[in-house]
Amino acid sequence: MERSIVFVHGTGVRAASYNATFDVVRAALDKPGREVRGCFWGEAEGAKFVCGGASVPGYRTSGGGKTEADDEDIAVWGVLYADFGYELRLLGLRPAPTTGMGRGTPASRRFLDAVQSYRPSTRAVAAFRRHQLLDELGGALRTVGESPELRDAAATVDENGYEHRHAVARAVVAAALAMAAERGADAVDGVARDALLTVLGADLYSQSRALPGKIRQAAVKPALRVLTRKAAGRRGALSDGVLPMTGDILRYQARGQGLRQFIRRTIEHASGKSVTVLAHSLGGVACVDLLAMEDLGRRVDQLITVGSQAPLFYECGALASVEHPETLPGHFPRRWLNIYDPWDLLAYRAAKVFPQHASDVEVSNGQPFPFAHSAYWSNDKVWDAVRTWLG
């Protein structure tokens, strides 16, 4: 693998819209010798109503039937099909548990050994064979077992380890189904997929003697479902609509370290000799900050920002990494392509602000604001500029 392209989405994006955009990005840039890897941060580091909207007057919730969490779980599976290590990467970013002065093999080592030595039970083999997925199961187990995401996640496992095992099971199932799709197999439905997940999860639990613990029914729900609720009333609906985009910006300004570390870990896990970072909107701001604050080495040699506010943040003193009159450090990538549409009121020019690093390309998406901000990916001129830059 010669080069990886890491795609970092922008503000307000959640799983469903991310999946659609990432499919377009991958189709436009994927070719032999190149890997296109996603960096979906909206679920982990994006804004959400952690108290269920309690701060919003008139915000009400209603239950029954299909929920937003159901839709979000479907969307997160879409992320996993493209990036099986997504949930493991999130776990790897957690602080390591406090273990005290206990003796014996650490929980992290026991967990890693248990996963890498796992052999499917007769029941698991039968379940995957029933859907013509047995070959993919073996390949998925090897892929997940050898992944850097698994090693990082193991460092944060506790003595119970349920959440980590569940993430491993989801990663293996997602990788197997993605492999089957690549060979042209028909997709299984959600019921069959969840049945495979259940049998694999039970297998990992029963064979992982080194990690005792009782599976709690409440813990079976994935950890990465959004906490927003369907709103009734104008103010609640307005808050739901505004929160992802505005809230992501506010959250980044207040607590941006988590997002930057999420991006850094994704870059570290990318394959290839060289890495190009392709970032949209707020994702571009976070990438500029990350690459300015941390020296990731010469491997990250290209940055492409699309519809980014980083130049504006620098000019008004809101960029976390650098404040005027200081400028970008020497380790910052010298090849920075900044694409902007003048009709996109969230896009800014970088070349005159960072003349030693950035080059601007102006495009027209043919849309008024705010539609112009999300229309870049269907603009052939954008892809012409990106491919020329990569070439």
Side-chain angles (χ1 to χ4, degrees):
M1 189 70 65
E2 290 298 320
R3 178 174 294 277
S4 283
I5 299 173
V6 175
F7 172 62
V8 184
H9 68 80
T11 183
V13 175
R14 297 300 182 260
S17 58
Y18 167 80
N19 288 332
T21 302
F22 183 58
D23 284 345
V24 173
V25 171
R26 185 163 52 181
L29 298 179
D30 196 20
K31 74 173 189 178
R34 179 190 294 169
E35 176 192 52
V36 182
R37 176 180 284 259
C39 180
F40 172 53
W41 56 264
E43 198 65 37
E45 295 297 332
K48 54 176 69 78
F49 281 132
V50 295
C51 297
S55 63
V56 183
Y59 192 97
R60 299 187 298 274
T61 60
S62 60
K66 189 178 180 182
T67 67
E68 287 187 19
D70 296 328
D71 292 338
E72 192 65 23
D73 192 44
I74 292 172
V76 171
W77 273 108
V79 175
L80 287 169
Y81 295 147
D83 180 10
F84 71 85
Y86 166 66
E87 291 179 332
L88 292 171
R89 192 176 305 118
L90 289 179
L91 292 174
L93 289 168
R94 289 183 177 181
T98 303
T99 57
M101 300 296 291
R103 296 182 179 181
T105 306
S108 58
R109 183 71 257 173
R110 299 198 307 265
F111 171 78
L112 195 59
D113 289 345
V115 172
Q116 292 178 334
S117 64
Y118 163 73
R119 296 295 180 268
S121 67
T122 302
R123 183 184 174 200
V125 168
F128 279 82
R129 179 183 287 125
R130 189 178 307 121
H131 297 286
Q132 291 79 51
L133 292 168
L134 194 55
D135 289 343
E136 283 77 13
L137 173 60
L141 286 170
R142 288 190 296 274
T143 298
V144 175
E146 296 169 0
S147 68
E149 289 91 343
L150 177 65
R151 292 194 298 272
D152 286 351
T156 69
V157 74
D158 57 18
E159 290 296 329
N160 177 48
Y162 171 76
E163 193 173 359
H164 286 64
R165 289 196 302 276
H166 188 69
V168 168
R170 281 167 68 94
V172 171
V173 171
L177 293 179
M179 292 174 183
E182 287 182 0
R183 66 171 168 83
D186 291 336
V188 301
D189 64 12
V191 174
R193 179 204 61 217
D194 291 346
L196 295 174
L197 177 64
T198 298
V199 70
L200 190 62
D203 242 17
L204 287 168
Y205 175 75
S206 63
Q207 294 190 23
S208 186
R209 297 178 183 176
L211 289 171
K214 202 170 186 178
I215 296 181
R216 299 181 301 276
Q217 190 63 29
V220 174
K221 296 180 180 179
L224 297 170
R225 293 182 174 178
V226 295
L227 301 179
T228 53
R229 302 288 187 266
K230 290 185 178 180
R234 188 170 182 274
R235 184 165 181 181
L238 180 62
S239 298
D240 280 346
V242 169
L243 177 72
M245 179 167 288
T246 305
D248 284 358
I249 297 171
L250 294 174
R251 177 175 168 79
Y252 178 75
Q253 291 299 96
R255 296 180 177 84
Q257 181 65 10
L259 172 53
R260 291 191 292 271
Q261 293 309 300
F262 188 93
I263 297 170
R264 179 179 64 80
R265 191 62 57 89
T266 305
I267 292 172
E268 290 173 348
H269 290 165
S271 58
K273 297 178 181 178
S274 304
V275 175
T276 298
V277 178
L278 169 63
H280 179 233
S281 187
L282 181 64
V285 176
C287 288
V288 169
D289 278 337
L290 170 66
L291 295 173
M293 290 175 168
E294 300 190 33
D295 185 353
L296 302 186
R298 295 183 179 179
R299 187 164 167 259
V300 183
D301 61 347
Q302 295 179 346
L303 171 65
I304 303 174
T305 53
V306 179
S308 177
Q309 305 86 50
L312 171 70
F313 281 20
Y314 175 78
E315 275 212 272
C316 66
L319 194 65
S321 56
V322 182
E323 184 176 6
H324 185 78
E326 294 180 359
T327 189
L328 297 171
H331 63 255
F332 194 93
R334 289 284 174 176
R335 301 199 70 221
W336 175 6
L337 173 65
N338 180 65
I339 299 175
Y340 72 97
D341 178 352
W343 282 94
D344 175 11
L345 302 185
L346 293 176
Y348 295 86
R349 297 182 299 185
K352 291 185 178 180
V353 180
F354 303 109
Q356 295 182 339
H357 297 269
S359 299
D360 289 332
V361 170
E362 179 182 319
V363 299
S364 175
N365 294 327
Q367 291 279 17
F369 184 78
F371 304 101
H373 189 58
S374 57
Y376 291 97
W377 313 119
S378 59
N379 187 340
D380 290 340
K381 297 298 183 183
V382 170
W383 294 119
D384 288 346
V386 170
R387 292 190 189 101
T388 299
W389 188 262
L390 289 171

